[in-house]
Amino acid sequence: LFFAACAAVSTQEQQTTTAEVTFQTEPPFNSEHTVPTPAVGELMQFGGYYWRVLELRDGKALLYARSVIDESSPYNETAGAADWSASTLRSYLNGAFYQSLDEDDRACIAQTDLDNGSGGATQDYIFPLSVAEVKQYFSVKESDDKNVLICEDFKEDRMFPPVHYYWLRDAGTDAGTAVTANDYRGEINLKGLDVTESGGAAGSHYGCIRPALWINVY
């Protein structure tokens, strides 16, 4: 399957200066704004990136990026409790990144109601998975460390080196952190990473983004 490639996101676009989130009204459903129905587990190209199909439901497909699409983005620019609804990450994904996609591709993306637990519900076009969603779509097991879960499936799509530590939506158990996963050992760190963290040292990138989205299919 081939879809129009999106323009590369510039460094300036990746730097978000505000956590205020403003969304466009969801475009009305149009049969022309759909793509052929893929199979669950299929790897497909959309918007210039490769995505794994996680679920088909009600004329829509849930896509999860095959790998990270950004290697240096904080969950939030200011320190404090992780709150997806007011985060810099949410603003970036549903703002600059969403707008960087081709207009036809944007029209295929469905606005989604998300359950963020204690963080309340939100409506988003593009988002990281939550821990609950990772458990729903992947095989997850406990490790010797009670603060670390292991997802073997995350190892398959890793790029190494370096190791990428990418955000999940949930707040970490430590104050001022958000949960991360990595694409080398497949670890999910429930203690979390400081919400302002981005960049990294040789061999590792912190504050990466591996998003998901729902698209209309026929």
Side-chain angles (χ1 to χ4, degrees):
L1 294 174
F2 176 79
F3 299 89
C6 71
V9 180
S10 68
T11 302
Q12 289 78 12
E13 286 176 317
Q14 292 177 18
Q15 299 302 317
T16 307
T17 57
T18 177
E20 182 179 353
V21 182
T22 302
F23 297 121
Q24 299 176 341
T25 302
E26 183 177 9
F29 180 79
N30 185 323
S31 60
E32 295 180 356
H33 296 154
T34 60
V35 299
T37 301
V40 172
E42 180 180 334
L43 186 65
M44 62 177 288
Q45 189 179 13
F46 177 79
Y49 299 90
Y50 283 99
W51 308 78
R52 188 74 64 185
V53 180
L54 298 186
E55 182 182 358
L56 299 174
R57 186 205 315 164
D58 300 330
K60 299 175 184 177
L62 176 60
L63 309 186
Y64 190 40
R66 181 185 183 276
S67 56
V68 299
I69 55 94
D70 187 297
E71 293 183 334
S72 183
S73 290
Y75 189 95
N76 205 49
E77 288 188 334
T78 57
D83 178 1
W84 166 249
S85 67
S87 67
T88 304
L89 180 58
R90 181 177 182 233
S91 180
Y92 167 65
L93 284 176
N94 291 275
F97 181 73
Y98 176 76
Q99 291 297 330
S100 75
L101 301 175
D102 180 89
E103 182 178 0
D104 290 337
D105 290 331
R106 292 199 306 270
C108 292
I109 301 174
Q111 196 174 55
T112 303
D113 294 324
L114 297 180
D115 180 0
N116 302 300
S118 60
T122 57
Q123 290 185 322
D124 298 285
Y125 292 106
I126 306 173
F127 49 91
L129 293 180
S130 66
V131 173
E133 289 162 347
V134 169
K135 290 179 177 179
Q136 178 181 350
Y137 296 112
F138 299 96
S139 176
V140 175
K141 62 183 180 181
E142 297 182 352
S143 71
D144 294 335
D145 185 341
K146 66 179 182 180
N147 295 305
V148 176
L149 301 175
I150 303 296
C151 179
E152 296 288 342
D153 296 310
F154 283 173
K155 298 180 182 181
E156 297 181 357
D157 289 337
R158 74 182 187 273
M159 294 181 293
F160 182 77
V163 180
H164 297 95
Y165 295 82
Y166 50 91
W167 302 111
L168 299 183
R169 285 202 314 278
D170 309 75
T173 55
D174 283 359
T177 68
V179 176
T180 60
N182 73 62
D183 57 6
Y184 177 47
R185 295 185 178 89
E187 295 172 337
I188 299 170
N189 178 13
L190 300 179
K191 293 182 68 175
L193 184 69
D194 189 292
V195 294
T196 63
E197 188 71 51
S198 64
S204 298
H205 286 296
Y206 300 97
C208 300
I209 305 175
R210 187 180 179 187
L213 53 84
W214 286 89
I215 59 171
N216 296 309
V217 297
Y218 63 86

Short mmCIF file of all heavy atoms in Angstrom, two decimals, residues 112-170:
data_model
loop_
_atom_site.label_atom_id
_atom_site.label_comp_id
_atom_site.label_asym_id
_atom_site.label_seq_id
_atom_site.Cartn_x
_atom_site.Cartn_y
_atom_site.Cartn_z
N THR A 112 -10.30 10.41 18.39
CA THR A 112 -10.53 9.27 19.26
C THR A 112 -10.74 9.70 20.70
O THR A 112 -10.03 10.56 21.21
CB THR A 112 -9.31 8.31 19.20
OG1 THR A 112 -9.09 7.92 17.85
CG2 THR A 112 -9.54 7.08 20.05
N ASP A 113 -11.74 9.10 21.36
CA ASP A 113 -11.95 9.31 22.79
C ASP A 113 -10.98 8.42 23.56
O ASP A 113 -10.98 7.20 23.39
CB ASP A 113 -13.39 8.96 23.18
CG ASP A 113 -14.41 9.89 22.56
OD1 ASP A 113 -14.12 11.09 22.42
OD2 ASP A 113 -15.49 9.41 22.17
N LEU A 114 -10.16 9.04 24.40
CA LEU A 114 -9.16 8.29 25.16
C LEU A 114 -9.49 8.30 26.64
O LEU A 114 -9.88 9.33 27.20
CB LEU A 114 -7.77 8.91 24.97
CG LEU A 114 -7.18 8.91 23.55
CD1 LEU A 114 -5.80 9.58 23.57
CD2 LEU A 114 -7.09 7.50 23.00
N ASP A 115 -9.32 7.14 27.26
CA ASP A 115 -9.47 7.00 28.70
C ASP A 115 -8.09 7.12 29.32
O ASP A 115 -7.23 6.27 29.11
CB ASP A 115 -10.10 5.64 29.03
CG ASP A 115 -10.27 5.44 30.53
OD1 ASP A 115 -9.91 6.34 31.31
OD2 ASP A 115 -10.76 4.36 30.93
N ASN A 116 -7.86 8.19 30.06
CA ASN A 116 -6.55 8.43 30.66
C ASN A 116 -6.54 8.20 32.16
O ASN A 116 -5.72 8.77 32.89
CB ASN A 116 -6.12 9.87 30.35
CG ASN A 116 -6.06 10.14 28.85
OD1 ASN A 116 -5.32 9.49 28.11
ND2 ASN A 116 -6.88 11.07 28.39
N GLY A 117 -7.44 7.36 32.63
CA GLY A 117 -7.48 7.03 34.05
C GLY A 117 -7.77 8.26 34.90
O GLY A 117 -8.71 9.02 34.63
N SER A 118 -6.94 8.48 35.90
CA SER A 118 -7.14 9.62 36.80
C SER A 118 -6.94 10.95 36.09
O SER A 118 -7.36 12.00 36.59
CB SER A 118 -6.18 9.52 37.99
OG SER A 118 -4.83 9.52 37.56
N GLY A 119 -6.31 10.91 34.90
CA GLY A 119 -6.07 12.13 34.13
C GLY A 119 -7.29 12.61 33.37
O GLY A 119 -7.26 13.69 32.76
N GLY A 120 -8.38 11.83 33.39
CA GLY A 120 -9.59 12.22 32.69
C GLY A 120 -9.56 11.85 31.23
O GLY A 120 -8.54 11.44 30.68
N ALA A 121 -10.71 12.00 30.57
CA ALA A 121 -10.84 11.63 29.16
C ALA A 121 -10.41 12.79 28.26
O ALA A 121 -10.54 13.96 28.62
CB ALA A 121 -12.29 11.24 28.86
N THR A 122 -9.89 12.45 27.08
CA THR A 122 -9.52 13.44 26.07
C THR A 122 -9.95 12.94 24.71
O THR A 122 -10.24 11.76 24.53
CB THR A 122 -8.00 13.71 26.05
OG1 THR A 122 -7.31 12.47 25.81
CG2 THR A 122 -7.51 14.32 27.34
N GLN A 123 -9.97 13.84 23.74
CA GLN A 123 -10.20 13.49 22.35
C GLN A 123 -8.96 13.87 21.56
O GLN A 123 -8.55 15.03 21.58
CB GLN A 123 -11.42 14.21 21.79
CG GLN A 123 -12.73 13.73 22.37
CD GLN A 123 -13.93 14.39 21.71
OE1 GLN A 123 -13.91 15.57 21.38
NE2 GLN A 123 -14.99 13.62 21.48
N ASP A 124 -8.37 12.89 20.87
CA ASP A 124 -7.11 13.12 20.18
C ASP A 124 -7.09 12.44 18.82
O ASP A 124 -7.76 11.43 18.61
CB ASP A 124 -5.95 12.59 21.03
CG ASP A 124 -5.83 13.30 22.36
OD1 ASP A 124 -5.38 14.44 22.39
OD2 ASP A 124 -6.22 12.69 23.40
N TYR A 125 -6.28 13.00 17.94
CA TYR A 125 -6.02 12.36 16.65
C TYR A 125 -4.83 11.40 16.76
O TYR A 125 -4.84 10.31 16.19
CB TYR A 125 -5.72 13.42 15.59
CG TYR A 125 -6.90 14.28 15.22
CD1 TYR A 125 -6.99 15.60 15.64
CD2 TYR A 125 -7.95 13.77 14.45
CE1 TYR A 125 -8.07 16.40 15.31
CE2 TYR A 125 -9.04 14.55 14.11
CZ TYR A 125 -9.10 15.87 14.55
OH TYR A 125 -10.18 16.65 14.22
N ILE A 126 -3.79 11.83 17.47
CA ILE A 126 -2.54 11.07 17.55
C ILE A 126 -2.10 11.05 19.00
O ILE A 126 -2.18 12.07 19.70
CB ILE A 126 -1.45 11.71 16.66
CG1 ILE A 126 -1.98 11.86 15.22
CG2 ILE A 126 -0.18 10.86 16.67
CD1 ILE A 126 -1.05 12.64 14.30
N PHE A 127 -1.59 9.91 19.48
CA PHE A 127 -1.34 9.75 20.90
C PHE A 127 -0.38 8.59 21.16
O PHE A 127 -0.31 7.65 20.37
CB PHE A 127 -2.67 9.47 21.63
CG PHE A 127 -3.48 8.37 20.99
CD1 PHE A 127 -3.34 7.05 21.39
CD2 PHE A 127 -4.37 8.65 19.96
CE1 PHE A 127 -4.07 6.03 20.77
CE2 PHE A 127 -5.12 7.65 19.34
CZ PHE A 127 -4.96 6.34 19.74
N PRO A 128 0.35 8.60 22.28
CA PRO A 128 1.08 7.41 22.70
C PRO A 128 0.11 6.41 23.30
O PRO A 128 -0.97 6.80 23.76
CB PRO A 128 2.05 7.94 23.78
CG PRO A 128 1.91 9.43 23.76
CD PRO A 128 0.58 9.75 23.18
N LEU A 129 0.47 5.15 23.30
CA LEU A 129 -0.35 4.15 23.98
C LEU A 129 -0.24 4.32 25.49
O LEU A 129 0.75 4.87 25.99
CB LEU A 129 0.07 2.74 23.59
CG LEU A 129 -0.15 2.31 22.14
CD1 LEU A 129 0.32 0.87 21.95
CD2 LEU A 129 -1.62 2.45 21.71
N SER A 130 -1.24 3.85 26.21
CA SER A 130 -1.17 3.78 27.67
C SER A 130 -0.66 2.40 28.07
O SER A 130 -0.60 1.48 27.25
CB SER A 130 -2.56 4.02 28.27
OG SER A 130 -3.43 2.94 27.92
N VAL A 131 -0.33 2.23 29.34
CA VAL A 131 0.10 0.92 29.83
C VAL A 131 -1.02 -0.09 29.63
O VAL A 131 -0.79 -1.23 29.20
CB VAL A 131 0.51 1.00 31.31
CG1 VAL A 131 0.80 -0.40 31.86
CG2 VAL A 131 1.74 1.88 31.49
N ALA A 132 -2.27 0.31 29.92
CA ALA A 132 -3.41 -0.61 29.75
C ALA A 132 -3.55 -1.04 28.30
O ALA A 132 -3.85 -2.21 28.01
CB ALA A 132 -4.69 0.06 30.24
N GLU A 133 -3.34 -0.13 27.37
CA GLU A 133 -3.45 -0.46 25.95
C GLU A 133 -2.31 -1.36 25.50
O GLU A 133 -2.51 -2.27 24.69
CB GLU A 133 -3.49 0.83 25.12
CG GLU A 133 -4.79 1.59 25.28
CD GLU A 133 -4.71 3.04 24.85
OE1 GLU A 133 -3.59 3.56 24.65
OE2 GLU A 133 -5.78 3.67 24.72
N VAL A 134 -1.11 -1.14 26.03
CA VAL A 134 0.00 -2.03 25.72
C VAL A 134 -0.34 -3.45 26.18
O VAL A 134 -0.13 -4.43 25.45
CB VAL A 134 1.30 -1.54 26.39
CG1 VAL A 134 2.39 -2.61 26.29
CG2 VAL A 134 1.79 -0.25 25.75
N LYS A 135 -0.92 -3.58 27.39
CA LYS A 135 -1.30 -4.89 27.90
C LYS A 135 -2.41 -5.52 27.06
O LYS A 135 -2.49 -6.74 26.93
CB LYS A 135 -1.75 -4.78 29.35
CG LYS A 135 -0.63 -4.47 30.33
CD LYS A 135 -1.17 -4.36 31.76
CE LYS A 135 -0.06 -4.11 32.76
NZ LYS A 135 -0.59 -3.98 34.15
N GLN A 136 -3.27 -4.67 26.49
CA GLN A 136 -4.37 -5.17 25.67
C GLN A 136 -3.89 -5.74 24.35
O GLN A 136 -4.40 -6.77 23.89
CB GLN A 136 -5.36 -4.02 25.40
CG GLN A 136 -6.53 -4.41 24.51
CD GLN A 136 -7.48 -3.25 24.24
OE1 GLN A 136 -7.37 -2.19 24.86
NE2 GLN A 136 -8.42 -3.44 23.33
N TYR A 137 -2.91 -5.09 23.73
CA TYR A 137 -2.51 -5.47 22.37
C TYR A 137 -1.22 -6.29 22.29
O TYR A 137 -0.92 -6.86 21.25
CB TYR A 137 -2.34 -4.20 21.52
CG TYR A 137 -3.63 -3.44 21.34
CD1 TYR A 137 -3.81 -2.19 21.92
CD2 TYR A 137 -4.69 -3.98 20.61
CE1 TYR A 137 -4.99 -1.48 21.76
CE2 TYR A 137 -5.88 -3.28 20.45
CZ TYR A 137 -6.02 -2.03 21.02
OH TYR A 137 -7.19 -1.34 20.87
N PHE A 138 -0.47 -6.35 23.40
CA PHE A 138 0.80 -7.07 23.38
C PHE A 138 0.89 -8.01 24.57
O PHE A 138 0.17 -7.86 25.56
CB PHE A 138 1.97 -6.09 23.43
CG PHE A 138 2.04 -5.14 22.26
CD1 PHE A 138 1.51 -3.87 22.36
CD2 PHE A 138 2.64 -5.53 21.06
CE1 PHE A 138 1.57 -2.98 21.28
CE2 PHE A 138 2.70 -4.66 19.99
CZ PHE A 138 2.16 -3.38 20.10
N SER A 139 1.80 -8.96 24.46
CA SER A 139 2.06 -9.87 25.56
C SER A 139 3.03 -9.19 26.54
O SER A 139 4.16 -8.86 26.17
CB SER A 139 2.68 -11.17 25.04
OG SER A 139 3.03 -12.03 26.11
N VAL A 140 2.58 -8.97 27.76
CA VAL A 140 3.38 -8.27 28.76
C VAL A 140 3.53 -9.17 29.98
O VAL A 140 2.56 -9.80 30.42
CB VAL A 140 2.72 -6.93 29.17
CG1 VAL A 140 3.49 -6.27 30.30
CG2 VAL A 140 2.62 -6.00 27.97
N LYS A 141 4.72 -9.23 30.52
CA LYS A 141 4.96 -10.04 31.71
C LYS A 141 5.74 -9.25 32.75
O LYS A 141 6.38 -8.24 32.44
CB LYS A 141 5.73 -11.32 31.34
CG LYS A 141 7.11 -11.07 30.75
CD LYS A 141 7.78 -12.37 30.34
CE LYS A 141 9.18 -12.13 29.75
NZ LYS A 141 9.83 -13.39 29.32
N GLU A 142 5.66 -9.71 34.00
CA GLU A 142 6.40 -9.06 35.07
C GLU A 142 7.87 -9.46 35.02
O GLU A 142 8.23 -10.51 34.47
CB GLU A 142 5.78 -9.42 36.42
CG GLU A 142 4.35 -8.95 36.60
CD GLU A 142 3.79 -9.29 37.96
OE1 GLU A 142 4.47 -10.03 38.70
OE2 GLU A 142 2.68 -8.85 38.27
N SER A 143 8.70 -8.63 35.61
CA SER A 143 10.13 -8.93 35.70
C SER A 143 10.50 -9.09 37.17
O SER A 143 9.64 -9.01 38.06
CB SER A 143 10.95 -7.80 35.07
OG SER A 143 10.89 -6.64 35.89
N ASP A 144 11.79 -9.28 37.44
CA ASP A 144 12.25 -9.39 38.82
C ASP A 144 12.09 -8.06 39.57
O ASP A 144 12.02 -8.03 40.79
CB ASP A 144 13.72 -9.83 38.86
CG ASP A 144 13.91 -11.24 38.32
OD1 ASP A 144 12.93 -12.02 38.38
OD2 ASP A 144 15.00 -11.55 37.84
N ASP A 145 12.06 -6.98 38.79
CA ASP A 145 11.86 -5.64 39.36
C ASP A 145 10.38 -5.30 39.26
O ASP A 145 9.81 -5.25 38.17
CB ASP A 145 12.70 -4.62 38.58
CG ASP A 145 12.65 -3.23 39.17
OD1 ASP A 145 11.71 -2.93 39.94
OD2 ASP A 145 13.55 -2.42 38.86
N LYS A 146 9.73 -5.05 40.40
CA LYS A 146 8.29 -4.78 40.40
C LYS A 146 7.93 -3.52 39.63
O LYS A 146 6.76 -3.30 39.28
CB LYS A 146 7.78 -4.67 41.83
CG LYS A 146 8.32 -3.46 42.59
CD LYS A 146 7.74 -3.39 44.00
CE LYS A 146 8.25 -2.15 44.74
NZ LYS A 146 7.69 -2.05 46.12
N ASN A 147 8.92 -2.67 39.39
CA ASN A 147 8.68 -1.42 38.66
C ASN A 147 8.90 -1.55 37.16
O ASN A 147 8.78 -0.56 36.43
CB ASN A 147 9.61 -0.32 39.20
CG ASN A 147 9.31 0.04 40.64
OD1 ASN A 147 8.19 0.38 40.98
ND2 ASN A 147 10.33 -0.06 41.49
N VAL A 148 9.21 -2.76 36.71
CA VAL A 148 9.51 -2.97 35.29
C VAL A 148 8.68 -4.12 34.73
O VAL A 148 8.64 -5.21 35.31
CB VAL A 148 11.01 -3.27 35.07
CG1 VAL A 148 11.28 -3.58 33.60
CG2 VAL A 148 11.87 -2.10 35.52
N LEU A 149 8.00 -3.86 33.62
CA LEU A 149 7.30 -4.90 32.87
C LEU A 149 8.09 -5.18 31.60
O LEU A 149 8.85 -4.33 31.12
CB LEU A 149 5.88 -4.44 32.51
CG LEU A 149 4.96 -4.08 33.67
CD1 LEU A 149 3.64 -3.53 33.14
CD2 LEU A 149 4.71 -5.28 34.57
N ILE A 150 7.92 -6.36 31.05
CA ILE A 150 8.64 -6.75 29.83
C ILE A 150 7.64 -7.03 28.72
O ILE A 150 6.69 -7.80 28.89
CB ILE A 150 9.50 -8.01 30.05
CG1 ILE A 150 10.50 -7.79 31.20
CG2 ILE A 150 10.25 -8.37 28.76
CD1 ILE A 150 11.52 -6.71 30.96
N CYS A 151 7.85 -6.40 27.58
CA CYS A 151 7.03 -6.64 26.40
C CYS A 151 7.95 -7.15 25.29
O CYS A 151 8.68 -6.37 24.67
CB CYS A 151 6.32 -5.36 25.97
SG CYS A 151 5.30 -5.57 24.50
N GLU A 152 7.94 -8.46 25.07
CA GLU A 152 8.82 -9.06 24.08
C GLU A 152 8.58 -8.51 22.68
O GLU A 152 9.50 -8.37 21.88
CB GLU A 152 8.64 -10.58 24.07
CG GLU A 152 9.03 -11.28 25.36
CD GLU A 152 10.53 -11.32 25.59
OE1 GLU A 152 11.28 -11.12 24.61
OE2 GLU A 152 10.95 -11.53 26.75
N ASP A 153 7.32 -8.15 22.38
CA ASP A 153 7.00 -7.65 21.04
C ASP A 153 7.71 -6.35 20.72
O ASP A 153 7.98 -6.05 19.56
CB ASP A 153 5.49 -7.44 20.91
CG ASP A 153 4.71 -8.74 21.02
OD1 ASP A 153 5.08 -9.69 20.31
OD2 ASP A 153 3.76 -8.81 21.80
N PHE A 154 8.02 -5.55 21.73
CA PHE A 154 8.69 -4.29 21.49
C PHE A 154 10.11 -4.50 20.97
O PHE A 154 10.68 -3.62 20.33
CB PHE A 154 8.72 -3.45 22.76
CG PHE A 154 7.41 -2.78 23.09
CD1 PHE A 154 7.24 -2.10 24.28
CD2 PHE A 154 6.34 -2.84 22.21
CE1 PHE A 154 6.04 -1.49 24.58
CE2 PHE A 154 5.13 -2.24 22.50
CZ PHE A 154 4.98 -1.56 23.70
N LYS A 155 10.69 -5.65 21.26
CA LYS A 155 12.05 -5.92 20.79
C LYS A 155 12.11 -6.11 19.28
O LYS A 155 13.11 -5.78 18.65
CB LYS A 155 12.60 -7.18 21.47
CG LYS A 155 12.73 -7.09 22.97
CD LYS A 155 13.29 -8.39 23.53
CE LYS A 155 13.40 -8.37 25.03
NZ LYS A 155 13.96 -9.65 25.55
N GLU A 156 11.06 -6.59 18.69
CA GLU A 156 11.07 -6.91 17.26
C GLU A 156 11.25 -5.67 16.38
O GLU A 156 11.89 -5.75 15.34
CB GLU A 156 9.76 -7.61 16.88
CG GLU A 156 9.57 -8.94 17.56
CD GLU A 156 8.27 -9.60 17.14
OE1 GLU A 156 7.51 -9.00 16.36
OE2 GLU A 156 8.02 -10.72 17.60
N ASP A 157 10.68 -4.55 16.81
CA ASP A 157 10.70 -3.35 15.99
C ASP A 157 11.75 -2.34 16.43
O ASP A 157 11.71 -1.19 16.04
CB ASP A 157 9.33 -2.69 15.99
CG ASP A 157 8.31 -3.49 15.20
OD1 ASP A 157 8.72 -4.26 14.33
OD2 ASP A 157 7.13 -3.34 15.48
N ARG A 158 12.71 -2.78 17.23
CA ARG A 158 13.70 -1.83 17.74
C ARG A 158 14.72 -1.49 16.67
O ARG A 158 14.94 -2.24 15.72
CB ARG A 158 14.41 -2.41 18.96
CG ARG A 158 15.43 -3.52 18.63
CD ARG A 158 16.07 -4.06 19.91
NE ARG A 158 17.14 -5.00 19.64
CZ ARG A 158 16.99 -6.29 19.45
NH1 ARG A 158 15.76 -6.79 19.47
NH2 ARG A 158 18.01 -7.09 19.23
N MET A 159 15.36 -0.35 16.85
CA MET A 159 16.52 0.02 16.06
C MET A 159 17.68 0.11 17.04
O MET A 159 17.61 0.84 18.03
CB MET A 159 16.30 1.38 15.38
CG MET A 159 15.20 1.37 14.34
SD MET A 159 15.00 2.97 13.53
CE MET A 159 14.40 3.97 14.89
N PHE A 160 18.77 -0.63 16.80
CA PHE A 160 19.87 -0.64 17.76
C PHE A 160 21.19 -0.71 17.02
O PHE A 160 21.35 -1.52 16.11
CB PHE A 160 19.75 -1.85 18.70
CG PHE A 160 20.83 -1.89 19.74
CD1 PHE A 160 20.77 -1.04 20.83
CD2 PHE A 160 21.91 -2.74 19.59
CE1 PHE A 160 21.78 -1.07 21.78
CE2 PHE A 160 22.92 -2.76 20.53
CZ PHE A 160 22.85 -1.92 21.64
N PRO A 161 22.22 0.09 17.38
CA PRO A 161 22.05 1.19 18.32
C PRO A 161 21.42 2.39 17.66
O PRO A 161 21.36 2.43 16.43
CB PRO A 161 23.49 1.49 18.75
CG PRO A 161 24.30 1.13 17.53
CD PRO A 161 23.59 -0.03 16.88
N PRO A 162 20.95 3.37 18.43
CA PRO A 162 20.91 3.44 19.89
C PRO A 162 19.63 2.84 20.44
O PRO A 162 18.76 2.41 19.70
CB PRO A 162 20.95 4.96 20.13
CG PRO A 162 20.14 5.51 19.00
CD PRO A 162 20.48 4.63 17.81
N VAL A 163 19.52 2.84 21.78
CA VAL A 163 18.29 2.43 22.45
C VAL A 163 17.38 3.64 22.55
O VAL A 163 17.81 4.74 22.91
CB VAL A 163 18.58 1.89 23.87
CG1 VAL A 163 17.27 1.47 24.54
CG2 VAL A 163 19.55 0.72 23.80
N HIS A 164 16.11 3.49 22.20
CA HIS A 164 15.14 4.57 22.28
C HIS A 164 14.21 4.35 23.46
O HIS A 164 13.59 3.28 23.57
CB HIS A 164 14.33 4.67 21.00
CG HIS A 164 15.13 5.00 19.79
ND1 HIS A 164 15.63 4.04 18.94
CD2 HIS A 164 15.55 6.20 19.30
CE1 HIS A 164 16.30 4.62 17.97
NE2 HIS A 164 16.28 5.93 18.17
N TYR A 165 14.09 5.34 24.31
CA TYR A 165 13.16 5.32 25.43
C TYR A 165 12.00 6.24 25.07
O TYR A 165 12.17 7.46 24.98
CB TYR A 165 13.84 5.79 26.72
CG TYR A 165 14.94 4.87 27.18
CD1 TYR A 165 16.22 4.94 26.62
CD2 TYR A 165 14.70 3.90 28.15
CE1 TYR A 165 17.24 4.09 27.04
CE2 TYR A 165 15.70 3.04 28.57
CZ TYR A 165 16.97 3.14 28.01
OH TYR A 165 17.97 2.29 28.40
N TYR A 166 10.82 5.66 24.82
CA TYR A 166 9.72 6.46 24.33
C TYR A 166 8.56 6.50 25.34
O TYR A 166 8.36 5.58 26.13
CB TYR A 166 9.22 5.96 22.97
CG TYR A 166 8.96 4.48 22.85
CD1 TYR A 166 7.71 3.95 23.12
CD2 TYR A 166 9.97 3.60 22.45
CE1 TYR A 166 7.46 2.60 23.00
CE2 TYR A 166 9.73 2.24 22.33
CZ TYR A 166 8.48 1.75 22.61
OH TYR A 166 8.23 0.41 22.50
N TRP A 167 7.83 7.61 25.28
CA TRP A 167 6.78 7.88 26.26
C TRP A 167 5.54 7.01 26.07
O TRP A 167 5.14 6.75 24.95
CB TRP A 167 6.34 9.34 26.16
CG TRP A 167 7.41 10.36 26.37
CD1 TRP A 167 7.94 11.20 25.41
CD2 TRP A 167 8.08 10.68 27.59
NE1 TRP A 167 8.88 12.00 25.96
CE2 TRP A 167 9.00 11.71 27.31
CE3 TRP A 167 7.99 10.20 28.90
CZ2 TRP A 167 9.83 12.27 28.27
CZ3 TRP A 167 8.82 10.74 29.86
CH2 TRP A 167 9.71 11.77 29.56
N LEU A 168 4.94 6.59 27.19
CA LEU A 168 3.56 6.13 27.22
C LEU A 168 2.74 7.26 27.86
O LEU A 168 3.30 8.22 28.37
CB LEU A 168 3.43 4.82 27.99
CG LEU A 168 4.23 3.64 27.41
CD1 LEU A 168 3.95 2.37 28.21
CD2 LEU A 168 3.95 3.41 25.94
N ARG A 169 1.41 7.18 27.83
CA ARG A 169 0.60 8.30 28.31
C ARG A 169 0.57 8.44 29.83
O ARG A 169 0.32 9.53 30.35
CB ARG A 169 -0.86 8.16 27.82
CG ARG A 169 -1.07 8.49 26.40
CD ARG A 169 -2.52 8.88 26.08
NE ARG A 169 -3.57 8.06 26.61
CZ ARG A 169 -3.99 6.93 26.08
NH1 ARG A 169 -3.42 6.46 24.98
NH2 ARG A 169 -4.99 6.24 26.62
N ASP A 170 0.82 7.35 30.55
CA ASP A 170 0.60 7.32 31.99
C ASP A 170 1.66 8.08 32.78
O ASP A 170 2.83 8.15 32.40
CB ASP A 170 0.62 5.87 32.49
CG ASP A 170 -0.31 4.99 31.70
OD1 ASP A 170 0.05 4.64 30.55
OD2 ASP A 170 -1.39 4.66 32.20
#
